[in-house]
Amino acid sequence: MLTANPSSTVMAKSSTTTRFPIFPTEHLPAFIANPSNRRNLRIPTPMAAALTTSAADPVAKTPTPAQTRVDILSESLPFIQRFRGKTIVVKYGGAAMKSPALQSSVINDVVLLACVGLRPVLVHGGGPEINSWLLRLGLQPEFHNGLRVTDALTMEVVEMVLVGKVNKSLVSLINLAGGTAIGLCGKDGRLLTARPSPDAASLGFVGDVSRVDPAILRPIIAEGHIPVIASVASDDKGQGYNVNADTAAGEIAAAIGAEKLILLTDVAGILEDRDDPGSLVREIDIDGVRRMVTEGKVAGGMIPKVDCCVRSLTQGVRTASIIDGRVAHALLLEILTDEGAGTMIAG
């Protein structure tokens, strides 16, 4: 059992004021290995130590930009150790895909994570781009209960845009940032097999995931490449389907035994009070999420995201996070800090 220095306490940044002990440095990797401890620990920074041990030294009070960068990198070490060699599946879409600045932030984060030894897998949608091309072709986008109505012609556009344009654009951006990306869709290597949605009569070629075969992904990940996967799949007869990217990411995460699933969204995360952005729930377990759904605190478009996370957790993914993709470097905040960037759900 870890013991704390009784004279040393730090403040955890959360919605309530709580004090947590500083644990001896040699125990940090083991402590952080437990996801339930992750957001309850504030690691003492080298910068803070310098300020307290040499208060009369003006140099210590005013660190240079280079010192600040080194301090930040040093703080990240326990988290890098925790996730090094682990597979992280990231669903990418929403505002983070539409904004060039946020897109650059996400791409750089993914490449940085790969450089420090994590194994990121990027699963993407591309709704706004699909809408844009449908309108260019004189077709009006249609939705039913929040899902795209996908007739045969729309399915052709969906596949061309997601697989031929968005996917290859992301691959190119990752390669330009110094990573090595390989573009795929659910059809490649029978990665995803689809079945018609229960509401197929209204939605057309919108599919659910019936089967995942991750064989094509394993050597790509093992070689240090970054798979970039478009959420298009075929059924057993070869008919193409538009698959929800959250669902695809969750099923892929479970099939490859990912350590973590991250959904980039356009909201801060799960809120205790949907009308109060300050009521963010930073960490919760499966039972807690289900209780919030029953109480109506999780509703609307957040329900399928939560269901996707819960399903992946029940299939072996260790933690799943719903984070705010509108925040620059949200991925790094979620993985390499104790505060995170949204809501983490533990199995």
Side-chain angles (χ1 to χ4, degrees):
M1 181 176 178
L2 299 177
T3 58
N5 182 342
S7 65
S8 301
T9 57
V10 288
M11 300 300 294
K13 290 190 177 180
S14 64
S15 57
T16 57
T17 301
T18 311
R19 288 188 175 271
F20 296 98
I22 296 178
F23 291 99
T25 303
E26 64 270 19
H27 295 310
L28 282 174
F31 183 77
I32 293 174
N34 183 347
S36 66
N37 294 329
R38 190 174 156 237
R39 299 189 186 219
N40 297 333
L41 174 66
R42 185 69 178 167
I43 300 171
T45 67
M47 185 189 307
L51 292 175
T52 55
T53 57
S54 184
D57 184 354
V59 175
K61 291 183 180 179
T62 311
T64 67
Q67 287 173 323
T68 300
R69 286 194 295 271
V70 170
D71 288 336
I72 293 170
L73 183 60
S74 177
E75 284 187 77
S76 301
L77 176 61
F79 299 100
I80 293 172
Q81 291 173 323
R82 160 76 176 86
F83 288 104
R84 183 174 176 81
K86 302 295 178 60
T87 301
I88 310 293
V89 175
V90 178
K91 182 268 177 173
Y92 177 43
M97 181 174 281
K98 290 182 285 185
S99 161
L102 289 175
Q103 185 177 71
S104 176
S105 170
V106 171
I107 296 301
N108 287 335
D109 287 359
V110 168
V111 173
L112 188 151
L113 292 173
C115 286
V116 297
L118 281 72
R119 297 177 171 184
V121 175
L122 199 65
V123 180
H124 68 86
E129 192 79 12
I130 294 170
N131 291 342
S132 174
W133 279 93
L134 285 172
L135 292 171
R136 290 189 193 189
L137 295 172
L139 302 173
Q140 185 64 39
E142 294 183 38
F143 294 87
H144 175 73
N145 293 333
L147 296 175
R148 184 183 302 281
V149 176
T150 309
D151 59 17
L153 183 55
T154 301
M155 185 62 222
E156 288 188 40
V157 176
V158 167
E159 186 161 357
M160 286 189 291
V161 171
L162 291 188
V163 182
K165 188 175 188 298
V166 176
N167 186 269
K168 299 314 171 191
S169 175
L170 293 174
V171 167
S172 179
L173 289 171
I174 290 173
N175 290 342
L176 285 172
T180 305
I182 295 178
L184 302 166
C185 75
K187 291 184 176 183
D188 293 309
R190 293 187 292 274
L191 173 59
L192 298 176
T193 300
R195 62 171 177 263
S197 163
D199 202 7
S202 300
L203 293 173
F205 296 109
V206 172
D208 292 335
V209 176
S210 64
R211 187 168 63 252
V212 183
D213 182 353
I216 193 173
L217 288 181
R218 299 194 189 282
I220 294 172
I221 296 170
E223 289 294 323
H225 305 312
I226 301 171
V228 181
I229 304 167
S231 55
V232 170
S234 295
D235 63 14
D236 289 322
K237 298 179 180 179
Q239 171 61 53
Y241 282 87
N242 181 16
V243 177
N244 178 272
D246 290 337
T247 301
E251 295 301 315
I252 290 170
I256 62 178
E259 177 74 9
K260 189 170 185 63
L261 167 68
I262 300 176
L263 305 183
L264 285 170
T265 70
D266 292 343
V267 295
I270 298 175
L271 303 178
E272 180 69 27
D273 179 353
R274 283 181 288 162
D275 297 323
D276 179 11
S279 64
L280 176 66
V281 177
R282 293 194 174 276
E283 187 172 346
I284 193 170
D285 60 16
I286 292 176
D287 290 339
V289 166
R290 287 172 172 163
R291 184 168 57 253
M292 291 186 72
V293 172
T294 301
E295 294 171 352
K297 294 179 178 179
V298 173
M302 187 60 75
I303 290 179
K305 294 183 184 298
V306 165
D307 288 344
C308 162
C309 291
V310 169
R311 180 171 169 81
S312 70
L313 292 169
T314 58
Q315 295 181 83
V317 176
R318 190 164 188 180
T319 63
S321 295
I322 300 172
I323 71 173
D324 194 344
R326 301 167 299 178
V327 176
H329 301 296
L331 283 177
L332 299 188
L333 288 168
E334 177 60 26
I335 296 173
L336 299 182
T337 73
D338 56 305
E339 297 173 16
T343 300
M344 184 175 75
I345 307 171

